[in-house]
Amino acid sequence: MARLPFDSNGSADPTARPAVGNVARSDTPLTVSQVAALVRGVLAEALPAKLRIIGEVSNFTARTHWFFSLKDEQATLRCVCFASSAGRVGFRLADGIEVVATGRIDYYDAQGQLQLYVEKLEPVGQGALELRFRQLCDELRQLGYFDVERKKPLPTMPQRVAVVTSRTGAALQDVIHTAARRWAGCQLLLYDVHVQGAAAAPEIAAAIDTLSQQGKPLGIDAVILTRGGGSIEDLWAFNERVVADALFRCPLPVAAAIGHETDTTVAELVADMRCATPTQAAMTLIPDREALEHQLRQLSHRLVLLMRRRVDASRQRVDSAARHPLLQRPDRMLAPLRDRLTTLSRLLTTGALRKLQSSQQQVEALTRQLGALGPRNVLQRGYSYTLRPNGRVLRQPQQVQPGDRITTVLAAGRLTSRVETNGQANATSPRRRGKRKADDDTQRELFT
């Protein structure tokens, strides 16, 4: 007989799980915790430990843990995926994605509902790798990894090219044979890496980073990243984010050829040039010697034709100039100019003489006028002028004082006299003026 959830004293044991068969026959009320324990017991007995459930994701919330619902046309089931399990999911979960969830169903007491505790998630309708590829492409496209503007041009004449691939792969042999056939002067440097498996992506990223740092000192002009064909699992190392980041940082131009012509990888989309095959990558990056020789011959032929045309045009110009009258009979061209020069010289000489004579006549007339107005001629007419003791002309009586000696300049000489009074003295009588005039006359005679 199943044990009831009550002890001998009639008290309830909250941790005891009631027997499933006795619940319907018992009228004793159960606590909520007991019902929850009963539900968990029923679920544990009725359901397997692991279930795989297919449904569409809805109400997805990503915190530390993932919370979402799985639904179909008729029902919805709450789900929780703890961080330890979510970290192992290889794609980005979102609403609307149909998945297969593996886990256990249990009763969550705190919310009173059933929940699927998810341990594994797989996408439905396409593989997990395909979904991861599409989601990574969407993310990198938004970050500008695929932008055409950031892609670097390939060198025209590379002298040294680094090849990142496996030493044992057929892709390396394709690149070597193509390079030797097209341009033997281009040197190839192999960076041997794994191109498949868990260690491939870190090795490829490390190789690209090493070439980014040491490529210029080593004289490397470009990089070829390649491998042969295979399944999406075989090529998956070239779809890892670490490889895409290394290619995005690489300052050297990179040509990528991964898998067959129809295969597309993230590395090819991030690289500066995507090629269908390893052979095409070598053909795209390494110039063709025969094509260059053909182009050189064409340019040489065009250069010769251009030089001949220039020489013919110059010869025609010389012949045309030789037929010009100036070069055939230069004396005929110079004779009229010589006559005109003679005429102009004669006119210039005549005009200069006339101008000189006219100027001389004007000078003579001005000289006569100046002589007539000169001070010496004025003195000849009976005029005179008086100088003060400092040698300046006396113009006002106030400019001298009594006792000053003044000089009177005449046409025939000079007279020196002494001032008895100036214009400020009182007027004297006629008799006094007569006596003074007699004294002045006597003084002039003494100093003349």
Side-chain angles (χ1 to χ4, degrees), residues 52-53 55 57 60 66 68 70 79-81 85-86 88-94 97-103 116 118-124 128:
R52 297 182 76 245
I53 304 175
V57 177
F60 174 72
W66 288 358
F68 58 95
L70 287 180
C79 303
V80 58
C81 184
S85 299
R88 294 193 297 268
V89 176
F91 61 95
R92 188 170 62 251
L93 197 64
I97 297 179
E98 191 174 13
V99 298
V100 174
T102 301
L116 175 64
V118 179
E119 299 175 1
K120 182 180 179 181
L121 284 171
E122 300 173 273
V124 175

Side-chain angles (χ1 to χ4, degrees), residues 408 410 412-416 440-448:
T408 302
L410 306 173
R414 297 187 175 194
L415 296 178
T416 301
D440 292 340
D441 291 340
T442 303
Q443 188 175 2
R444 291 191 189 96
E445 290 178 357
L446 293 175
F447 287 95
T448 299

